[in-house]
Amino acid sequence: MRPLVAGNWKMNGLSASLAELGSLQDGLAVLGLRLGSDVLVCPPATLIAQAAWKVAGGAVALGGQDCHAKDSGAHTGDISAQMLKDSGASFVIVGHSERRQHHGESDGEVAAKAQAAWRAGLKAIICIGETQAPRYAGDANQICGKQLDGSVPGGATPANTVIAYEPVWAIGTGKTPTSADITAMHAHIRACLVRRLGKGGREMPILYGGSVKPDNAGEILNLPEVGGALVGGASLKASDFLSIIRAISGS
Ligand code: PGA
């Protein structure tokens, strides 16, 4: 299966940042047939419609960073999955650890958001990952298994869902798990998905996220059961993001 390299701009980016998308498009055009992955950028919701004009006809897909669990209604300040779709998104990230930590999102809410994404015709990127303490205590597998069970609705298929394993302690810190730890966790996630979803769980992409940079992307993306990367900081600059994409494409 073709890997997915997804960029999460988080709360960064103004209209001027769309120039980076233009540079990204140009870089991908140069790669041409050597491009070995699908490419997704999740800018702030305010930029998706403009970004959609910018990337039209090119290799870059767009996604939102969160959506509400309801389709519409009295939810001041929130954004529905349908609105993201209408703006030009085809994916949405749900359950990012920054949403879980700063907005108190539970596994159940994340599952409801994933279902809202599907209703709108978006693919849900469902994030899970342990914090530092359970990692040290040897409880990472159990924590991530529980998050998967609670956050991934029963109707999940490889066509509507991508899983992102992002150890919270690795996000924005420059720290990454060892290759052995990433391999072990991705194998665990795969086993949990197969147990819950059967054949669909066998084929569902599992991205790694957390301090993916141009210099470690090649190694991480070659590990078994790693189906791509969710990239924060290093997705903001087209040159860095392209280096990651090139590392995966082997060119
Ligand atoms: P990072 O963020 O690449 O800056 O560590 C990853 C993420 O939060 O998705």
Side-chain angles (χ1 to χ4, degrees), residues 105-118:
E105 290 185 10
S106 66
D107 290 339
E109 282 165 302
V110 174
K113 288 180 177 208
Q115 285 171 315
W118 302 343

Side-chain angles (χ1 to χ4, degrees), residues 6-10 93 96-98 127 164 166-176 208-213 229-236 244:
N8 172 11
W9 285 11
K10 308 193 178 183
I93 299 168
H96 189 282
S97 64
E98 286 152 16
C127 301
E166 299 203 296
V168 179
W169 51 273
I171 293 177
T173 59
K175 294 184 206 161
T176 51
Y208 169 80
S211 295
V212 175
K213 307 286 179 206
L230 183 51
V231 184
S235 71
L236 293 172
I244 291 172

Side-chain angles (χ1 to χ4, degrees), residues 1-6 28 31-40 59-60 221 227-229 241-242 244-250:
M1 207 185 313
R2 206 167 148 90
L4 173 67
V5 184
L28 294 178
L31 266 180
L33 290 176
R34 286 172 296 141
L35 173 62
S37 63
D38 292 334
V39 178
L40 169 69
V60 181
L221 271 290
F241 200 44
L242 275 166
I244 291 172
I245 293 163
R246 271 196 226 102
I248 292 162
S249 302

